[in-house]
Amino acid sequence: MASPITSQENATYFSCACQWLRQLPKKSCKKATNVAKKIKKSGQDDPRRITHSLKVGFALTLVSMFFYVQALYDSFGVNALWAIMTVVVVMEFSVGATLGKGLNRMAATLLGGFLGFGVQQLATLPGKTNQPILLAIFLFIIGAVMTYIRCIPGVKAKYDYGFSIFILTFSLVSISGYRNDESETLELSCKRLFTIIIGSILSMIVSACIFPVWIGEDLHNSVAKNIEKIGDFLEGFINDSFNVSEEKNEKSFAEEYESVLNSKTKEENMANLASWEPRHGKFQFNHPWKQYLKVGNSTRQCAYKIEALDYHIKSKIQITHELRNKIKDTCQHICLESGKALKELSLSIKSMKCLSKTNYKAHIANAKEAIESLSTMLKSNLSGGVVEVNLLEVVAIAAMASLLMDVVISIERISEQVDELASLAHFKSHNNNVHEDQTKATRTRPLPLLREGIMKRFFPRDKMPHHHNNRIHESSICSPKQNRSSTIEVIVQ
Amino acid sequence: MASPITSQENATYFSCACQWLRQLPKKSCKKATNVAKKIKKSGQDDPRRITHSLKVGFALTLVSMFFYVQALYDSFGVNALWAIMTVVVVMEFSVGATLGKGLNRMAATLLGGFLGFGVQQLATLPGKTNQPILLAIFLFIIGAVMTYIRCIPGVKAKYDYGFSIFILTFSLVSISGYRNDESETLELSCKRLFTIIIGSILSMIVSACIFPVWIGEDLHNSVAKNIEKIGDFLEGFINDSFNVSEEKNEKSFAEEYESVLNSKTKEENMANLASWEPRHGKFQFNHPWKQYLKVGNSTRQCAYKIEALDYHIKSKIQITHELRNKIKDTCQHICLESGKALKELSLSIKSMKCLSKTNYKAHIANAKEAIESLSTMLKSNLSGGVVEVNLLEVVAIAAMASLLMDVVISIERISEQVDELASLAHFKSHNNNVHEDQTKATRTRPLPLLREGIMKRFFPRDKMPHHHNNRIHESSICSPKQNRSSTIEVIVQ
């Protein structure tokens, strides 16, 4: 009985093995295809990665000439390996990062070498036997102190690499002094410094001259792009939001919002690296990179307000259909104008021109005007006959007007930051549209006045329907944010 | 006339210079004090920075023995400098980062050395004259390809350092082969590999054995702390928010919220490094670090909801004083219970015990019950006599109940993620409170039923005050978020 079972088991194992073997090429093929897809996608997402790789290959090949060319090898010898190490370590994706690392490395090697040589000289004074003890003590103290300074947040952000190289050079020079004599150590240190300088400069030149990736430009574009994104969203916002049949729009905003929100760390890092970059293209030396962070912060603040508005509007507001249509047009107008203002601001950053400054101010003014017309609607509803229902509508409209006002205020804040950026970065001004200036500027008026004004103008206290006055001035309204309360207080008083 | 002016000018310059000189020690003193303060603060913020510095100093001193001890120097010679370099570069603040870098460095040196040696052998085949050309071509291709792979986001996150060392070792070995003969290159590579392994292992041992900083523990604590933070905020929330005389509370939430929000990148980085860490303390090997990111995401989502609630409540809701007091107690109860639930969850993570699982479920159930009682208030208001005013109040309460419900739902989502974490990380379960389980578990009930139920139970369609029915079922309500609309629809129908 045992024999057939065993042979059956064997047959099962065999067939399993066969199946595994048969599936192996298929599985490997699938895995290889996946990996290949990932590799391809990485290049498609940012084709500059390909040029960067070729640049690194080129710089490496160039620096390897230190070994192949006899004249170079004669003067530097094995120390040429420091040049190769430098190229591998210093060559980064962006010019800013490469320059930062290169300058850090050169300065740190110089200073670390000096200190190391000094300490080594000092340690020889008490005699050969005490030298290693003194050297070890110095190494411990300086290693610990420099590591501590390296950990300080402000230092870590910009000079982390420099401190690491400082400790490295100091250790190598001070320790190797124990085995070599003075002149040997000095020669070695000098050759190392030279090759490191050569490697760093070569990396910087290749990085900055062959298809350079300017991180400052990336920051510039990213900030402009984020403003454009929320502008785009606002333009299509009300239209999509009033027809809440499909929920995909909500999802899409959350996604875009997420990318704007998560930009903070990325932008800070970019600004840090951009500060190493020299003058290039449209960007002067000492371009106000920090100002971009302020614009980015205002943009994120604005995105928060839009989310609150989104939150409010997507809640299937059950207003009578006629009023809904009336509101829809006005709200659409406000959002359109706000979106246009944002896109103008984005364009102003992108093109580095002040030309659209008056345009976006006009758009903001238009948006405010439209908010005013929304309050006119409030007036007509309050003076209408059927009180209870209209009151609810008034609450909804007041809340929406309030939220829209918040969005417009935050757009104004962005515009102020962009204006500051324009003056700091000397954006080109256009004199062509002075005329436009004069015609459109009349539309703008100070915001706080407007805010208090609209309600008071339409509902002077003595002209309010009197039967409300007693009870409603204390009644509850579902309106967010304290700074909007005055608006609403006036409506219902 | 000229002479007195010149002497006067000279006198002015002189006095200016004197003043500058007199102020110089004061200014330098002030600057030095500022720097000293920063240095001191860095240590106070995280005292582990001090121990880390001492550890680096110690490891450096230890590795410098390669030069001082004759026996060690005899076997490794100048190659010992690679051990020193390794210690400087590999020693990082946390064990995870040090292990990651050390393992990357050892593996990359081994593989890079192998490939470099192979390529060097291959390049000798066509003869001495063609060797440098072939070597340069290989260097270009492998340098470019490896740099490209290094740029792929998934690879960059975990193996960036390894790829950099791979390119470095490959370059050094393949190039130096041109100047040295085969056996020399092999010996050099082996010595280098050995010293790098020694340096790496020394760094890892010092990092992991002397006052280790486990980044996994940091992640664990940070996630628990963030949950506790928003729990703390919720506990004191309503109390502060209903007395909106001072605005400092709003600021303080924005700050705390900011720190929770910005934790995303930090947490991702921590989880990445933690995956290198071995079993330690309460944490097993293969601890589910990725799950912490999910808990962190849910926490941030909850923080968003709380901000919306904050936004709503801080808007000085003008409800009649009596009702306000009534609501205040209920809302306070909801927030207190929500806060308690969050703090229990935080405690559960911190202590890595499941013991409070039933407790937080009970708190969530209590919060839901309180939201129910808020709707009872809606009922009593709707059945009251004065209709217009109460309707407005109903809107405000409905919106608030809705927002609170959102907060509670997001807390439930956190609790689900924490439960998953507990099962993945094998949190200790407590059998002591089986009894508690039975008494408290009865309180929980499925949420969607509750949500639809409360309103329908209190306002059955046929019992609603009839004079509203015609107009109000279509009327506007200021209530956020679509998924809450059903609740409110029922109220006004």
Side-chain angles (χ1 to χ4, degrees), chain B residues 260-287:
Chain B
V260 174
L261 194 92
N262 283 341
S263 58
K264 194 183 165 121
T265 322
K266 207 178 130 201
E267 279 175 8
E268 276 173 356
N269 188 34
M270 279 172 156
N272 232 339
L273 294 178
S275 63
W276 289 107
E277 289 181 348
R279 176 184 176 154
H280 60 276
K282 306 169 282 183
F283 306 101
Q284 305 292 315
F285 181 70
N286 254 340
H287 192 76

Short mmCIF file of all heavy atoms in Angstrom, two decimals, chain B residues 260-287:
data_model
loop_
_atom_site.label_atom_id
_atom_site.label_comp_id
_atom_site.label_asym_id
_atom_site.label_seq_id
_atom_site.Cartn_x
_atom_site.Cartn_y
_atom_site.Cartn_z
N VAL B 260 1.28 69.15 14.95
CA VAL B 260 0.73 67.84 14.57
C VAL B 260 0.76 67.69 13.05
O VAL B 260 1.10 66.64 12.51
CB VAL B 260 -0.72 67.68 15.10
CG1 VAL B 260 -1.34 66.39 14.59
CG2 VAL B 260 -0.74 67.71 16.60
N LEU B 261 0.41 68.80 12.38
CA LEU B 261 0.34 68.78 10.92
C LEU B 261 1.70 68.55 10.28
O LEU B 261 1.86 67.77 9.35
CB LEU B 261 -0.21 70.12 10.44
CG LEU B 261 -0.65 70.13 9.00
CD1 LEU B 261 -2.11 69.80 8.92
CD2 LEU B 261 -0.38 71.48 8.38
N ASN B 262 2.70 69.26 10.80
CA ASN B 262 4.03 69.17 10.21
C ASN B 262 4.76 67.88 10.55
O ASN B 262 5.89 67.67 10.12
CB ASN B 262 4.89 70.36 10.66
CG ASN B 262 4.53 71.61 9.91
OD1 ASN B 262 3.92 71.53 8.85
ND2 ASN B 262 4.88 72.75 10.45
N SER B 263 4.11 67.03 11.34
CA SER B 263 4.78 65.80 11.77
C SER B 263 4.90 64.80 10.63
O SER B 263 5.67 63.86 10.72
CB SER B 263 4.01 65.19 12.93
OG SER B 263 2.68 64.92 12.55
N LYS B 264 4.15 65.00 9.54
CA LYS B 264 4.11 63.98 8.48
C LYS B 264 5.48 63.58 7.94
O LYS B 264 5.88 62.42 8.00
CB LYS B 264 3.22 64.46 7.33
CG LYS B 264 2.88 63.32 6.39
CD LYS B 264 2.08 63.76 5.19
CE LYS B 264 2.13 62.67 4.16
NZ LYS B 264 0.83 62.14 3.80
N THR B 265 6.22 64.57 7.42
CA THR B 265 7.53 64.27 6.85
C THR B 265 8.46 63.66 7.89
O THR B 265 9.18 62.70 7.60
CB THR B 265 8.17 65.57 6.30
OG1 THR B 265 7.15 66.37 5.72
CG2 THR B 265 9.22 65.28 5.27
N LYS B 266 8.43 64.24 9.09
CA LYS B 266 9.28 63.77 10.17
C LYS B 266 8.97 62.31 10.50
O LYS B 266 9.88 61.48 10.64
CB LYS B 266 9.02 64.66 11.41
CG LYS B 266 10.18 64.77 12.37
CD LYS B 266 9.81 65.71 13.52
CE LYS B 266 10.09 65.11 14.85
NZ LYS B 266 9.34 65.72 15.96
N GLU B 267 7.68 62.01 10.61
CA GLU B 267 7.28 60.64 10.95
C GLU B 267 7.69 59.65 9.87
O GLU B 267 8.15 58.55 10.17
CB GLU B 267 5.77 60.57 11.17
CG GLU B 267 5.35 61.03 12.56
CD GLU B 267 3.84 61.06 12.73
OE1 GLU B 267 3.11 60.59 11.83
OE2 GLU B 267 3.39 61.58 13.76
N GLU B 268 7.54 60.05 8.61
CA GLU B 268 7.92 59.16 7.51
C GLU B 268 9.41 58.84 7.56
O GLU B 268 9.83 57.71 7.38
CB GLU B 268 7.55 59.78 6.17
CG GLU B 268 6.11 59.52 5.79
CD GLU B 268 5.67 60.27 4.55
OE1 GLU B 268 6.48 61.06 4.01
OE2 GLU B 268 4.53 60.08 4.14
N ASN B 269 10.18 59.88 7.82
CA ASN B 269 11.63 59.71 7.93
C ASN B 269 12.00 58.79 9.09
O ASN B 269 12.84 57.89 8.95
CB ASN B 269 12.28 61.10 8.11
CG ASN B 269 13.77 61.03 8.03
OD1 ASN B 269 14.32 60.22 7.28
ND2 ASN B 269 14.44 61.86 8.82
N MET B 270 11.32 59.01 10.21
CA MET B 270 11.57 58.18 11.39
C MET B 270 11.24 56.72 11.11
O MET B 270 12.02 55.82 11.48
CB MET B 270 10.69 58.66 12.55
CG MET B 270 11.22 59.85 13.29
SD MET B 270 9.94 60.39 14.45
CE MET B 270 10.94 61.24 15.64
N ALA B 271 10.11 56.47 10.47
CA ALA B 271 9.69 55.09 10.19
C ALA B 271 10.71 54.41 9.28
O ALA B 271 11.03 53.23 9.44
CB ALA B 271 8.32 55.07 9.54
N ASN B 272 11.23 55.19 8.35
CA ASN B 272 12.25 54.68 7.43
C ASN B 272 13.50 54.23 8.17
O ASN B 272 14.03 53.14 7.93
CB ASN B 272 12.62 55.79 6.46
CG ASN B 272 12.52 55.33 5.04
OD1 ASN B 272 12.56 54.13 4.78
ND2 ASN B 272 12.37 56.25 4.13
N LEU B 273 13.97 55.08 9.09
CA LEU B 273 15.18 54.76 9.85
C LEU B 273 14.92 53.66 10.87
O LEU B 273 15.78 52.81 11.11
CB LEU B 273 15.71 56.01 10.56
CG LEU B 273 16.21 57.14 9.66
CD1 LEU B 273 16.65 58.33 10.49
CD2 LEU B 273 17.36 56.66 8.79
N ALA B 274 13.71 53.69 11.45
CA ALA B 274 13.40 52.69 12.49
C ALA B 274 13.44 51.28 11.91
O ALA B 274 13.73 50.32 12.64
CB ALA B 274 12.02 52.98 13.09
N SER B 275 13.14 51.16 10.60
CA SER B 275 13.11 49.82 10.00
C SER B 275 14.50 49.17 10.01
O SER B 275 14.63 47.96 9.81
CB SER B 275 12.56 49.88 8.59
OG SER B 275 13.42 50.65 7.77
N TRP B 276 15.56 49.96 10.24
CA TRP B 276 16.91 49.39 10.32
C TRP B 276 17.21 48.83 11.71
O TRP B 276 18.17 48.09 11.89
CB TRP B 276 17.97 50.45 10.00
CG TRP B 276 18.05 50.88 8.58
CD1 TRP B 276 17.62 52.08 8.09
CD2 TRP B 276 18.56 50.15 7.46
NE1 TRP B 276 17.84 52.14 6.74
CE2 TRP B 276 18.42 50.96 6.32
CE3 TRP B 276 19.12 48.88 7.30
CZ2 TRP B 276 18.82 50.56 5.05
CZ3 TRP B 276 19.53 48.48 6.04
CH2 TRP B 276 19.37 49.32 4.94
N GLU B 277 16.41 49.25 12.69
CA GLU B 277 16.75 48.92 14.07
C GLU B 277 16.39 47.48 14.43
O GLU B 277 15.36 46.98 14.00
CB GLU B 277 16.07 49.90 15.03
CG GLU B 277 16.67 51.29 14.95
CD GLU B 277 16.06 52.28 15.90
OE1 GLU B 277 15.01 51.99 16.49
OE2 GLU B 277 16.65 53.38 16.04
N PRO B 278 17.25 46.82 15.23
CA PRO B 278 16.95 45.46 15.67
C PRO B 278 15.95 45.49 16.83
O PRO B 278 15.50 46.56 17.24
CB PRO B 278 18.31 44.96 16.14
CG PRO B 278 18.97 46.17 16.69
CD PRO B 278 18.49 47.32 15.84
N ARG B 279 15.65 44.34 17.34
CA ARG B 279 14.78 44.23 18.50
C ARG B 279 15.40 44.99 19.67
O ARG B 279 16.59 44.87 19.93
CB ARG B 279 14.67 42.74 18.84
CG ARG B 279 13.89 42.46 20.06
CD ARG B 279 13.92 40.98 20.39
NE ARG B 279 13.21 40.80 21.63
CZ ARG B 279 12.60 39.71 22.00
NH1 ARG B 279 12.63 38.66 21.20
NH2 ARG B 279 11.96 39.63 23.14
N HIS B 280 14.61 45.78 20.35
CA HIS B 280 15.14 46.49 21.52
C HIS B 280 13.98 46.85 22.42
O HIS B 280 12.91 47.27 21.96
CB HIS B 280 15.90 47.75 21.11
CG HIS B 280 15.07 48.74 20.36
ND1 HIS B 280 14.85 48.65 19.01
CD2 HIS B 280 14.39 49.82 20.77
CE1 HIS B 280 14.09 49.64 18.61
NE2 HIS B 280 13.79 50.37 19.65
N GLY B 281 14.20 46.72 23.72
CA GLY B 281 13.18 47.06 24.71
C GLY B 281 11.86 46.38 24.39
O GLY B 281 11.80 45.17 24.20
N LYS B 282 10.82 47.21 24.27
CA LYS B 282 9.48 46.67 24.03
C LYS B 282 9.27 46.31 22.57
O LYS B 282 8.26 45.74 22.20
CB LYS B 282 8.43 47.70 24.45
CG LYS B 282 8.58 48.21 25.86
CD LYS B 282 7.68 49.41 26.11
CE LYS B 282 8.23 50.71 25.54
NZ LYS B 282 7.41 51.90 25.82
N PHE B 283 10.21 46.73 21.72
CA PHE B 283 9.98 46.61 20.28
C PHE B 283 10.66 45.38 19.70
O PHE B 283 11.87 45.21 19.82
CB PHE B 283 10.47 47.87 19.57
CG PHE B 283 9.89 49.12 20.13
CD1 PHE B 283 10.61 49.92 21.00
CD2 PHE B 283 8.59 49.49 19.81
CE1 PHE B 283 10.06 51.06 21.54
CE2 PHE B 283 8.04 50.64 20.34
CZ PHE B 283 8.78 51.43 21.21
N GLN B 284 9.83 44.52 19.08
CA GLN B 284 10.35 43.33 18.44
C GLN B 284 11.06 43.70 17.14
O GLN B 284 10.93 44.81 16.65
CB GLN B 284 9.19 42.37 18.10
CG GLN B 284 8.33 42.00 19.28
CD GLN B 284 9.08 41.15 20.29
OE1 GLN B 284 9.77 40.22 19.90
NE2 GLN B 284 8.96 41.47 21.57
N PHE B 285 11.78 42.69 16.60
CA PHE B 285 12.29 42.87 15.24
C PHE B 285 11.07 42.87 14.32
O PHE B 285 10.10 42.16 14.56
CB PHE B 285 13.24 41.71 14.90
CG PHE B 285 13.83 41.83 13.53
CD1 PHE B 285 14.76 42.81 13.25
CD2 PHE B 285 13.45 40.98 12.51
CE1 PHE B 285 15.31 42.95 11.99
CE2 PHE B 285 13.98 41.11 11.24
CZ PHE B 285 14.92 42.09 10.99
N ASN B 286 11.09 43.66 13.27
CA ASN B 286 9.94 43.77 12.36
C ASN B 286 8.71 44.37 13.03
O ASN B 286 7.58 43.98 12.74
CB ASN B 286 9.57 42.40 11.78
CG ASN B 286 10.00 42.30 10.35
OD1 ASN B 286 10.20 43.34 9.70
ND2 ASN B 286 10.16 41.11 9.83
N HIS B 287 8.93 45.26 13.95
CA HIS B 287 7.83 46.00 14.57
C HIS B 287 7.09 46.76 13.46
O HIS B 287 7.72 47.27 12.53
CB HIS B 287 8.42 46.98 15.59
CG HIS B 287 7.40 47.59 16.49
ND1 HIS B 287 6.83 46.91 17.54
CD2 HIS B 287 6.83 48.82 16.51
CE1 HIS B 287 5.97 47.69 18.16
NE2 HIS B 287 5.95 48.85 17.56
#
